[in-house]
Amino acid sequence: MNRLLGGPRRRRSLAVAVIALSTAFAVFGGWVYLDARSDSSLAYAASRDAALRAGRTQVAALSTLDAAHPGATLTSWLDASTGPLHDELRRTGTGKPTTSARGEVTEAAVTELDDRSGSAKLIATVRVRLTPKGGAATTDRKRFEAALERTGSGWKLKALNAVPVAAP
């Protein structure tokens, strides 16, 4: 082994070279990490993901109606909305429902995001389980387009529109 590494001077030179390469690699890795961490595309992606999570939750909330507890349903709807949608929901309420509905977002995607203005658009497909009072439950599928607005308490729905399914 001594023969391969040479004398003490050669071993010391080799050790210095290994340490220098290790240090250079560590510095390069740190620079790449810091550059990636401060990248604006990461902030944009985080904002998009937050809008998507909130949008999925709020579309499901507005697709859900508990006929036994319409007041709690209305509170949930108001918590998920802002702007004109919020005002309309407050004005119209839930009425006196006889059918309960439970919405579950099966797919969703953010189609537009303006991080500076705090607005986004989302499309979603929702499976809605309808349970009439004293009747058998049925399942329906819906498609929605939603407009979101970033508020002081996070992303909220400011518009929710059904998207018709095109006939083949």
Side-chain angles (χ1 to χ4, degrees):
M1 178 94 168
N2 267 347
R3 202 169 203 196
L4 288 174
L5 293 176
R9 184 176 279 163
R10 185 169 171 124
R11 281 190 297 250
R12 193 173 345 183
S13 295
L14 185 59
V16 168
V18 168
I19 290 171
L21 283 173
S22 297
T23 302
F25 181 74
V27 168
F28 176 73
W31 176 76
V32 168
Y33 172 76
L34 288 175
D35 185 52
R37 191 161 182 215
S38 64
D39 188 359
S40 63
S41 64
L42 288 178
Y44 184 82
S47 189
R48 181 199 61 227
D49 292 347
L52 179 61
R53 273 191 309 276
R56 287 179 70 97
T57 300
Q58 292 156 355
V59 168
L62 267 66
S63 302
T64 299
L65 171 67
D66 184 351
H69 303 97
T73 296
L74 181 58
T75 299
S76 172
W77 290 355
L78 294 174
D79 288 345
S81 62
T82 190
L85 178 60
H86 182 85
D87 297 341
E88 182 182 341
L89 292 170
R90 185 191 336 250
R91 192 173 45 256
T92 59
T94 61
K96 296 184 190 253
T98 58
T99 300
S100 290
R102 182 173 171 351
E104 176 189 354
V105 175
T106 55
E107 296 291 333
V110 173
T111 59
E112 293 179 33
L113 174 64
D114 185 341
D115 204 25
R116 289 180 190 220
S117 71
S119 64
K121 287 191 178 177
L122 174 117
I123 55 173
T125 58
V126 181
R127 180 177 31 234
V128 182
R129 184 172 173 83
L130 301 166
T131 309
K133 189 174 188 177
T138 60
T139 301
D140 195 11
R141 292 204 177 268
K142 305 280 185 185
R143 294 185 337 177
F144 292 102
E145 181 178 58
L148 293 99
E149 182 176 305
R150 187 172 41 228
T151 68
S153 57
W155 290 96
K156 304 281 183 176
L157 295 178
K158 71 177 183 180
L160 183 66
N161 298 303
V163 176
V165 178

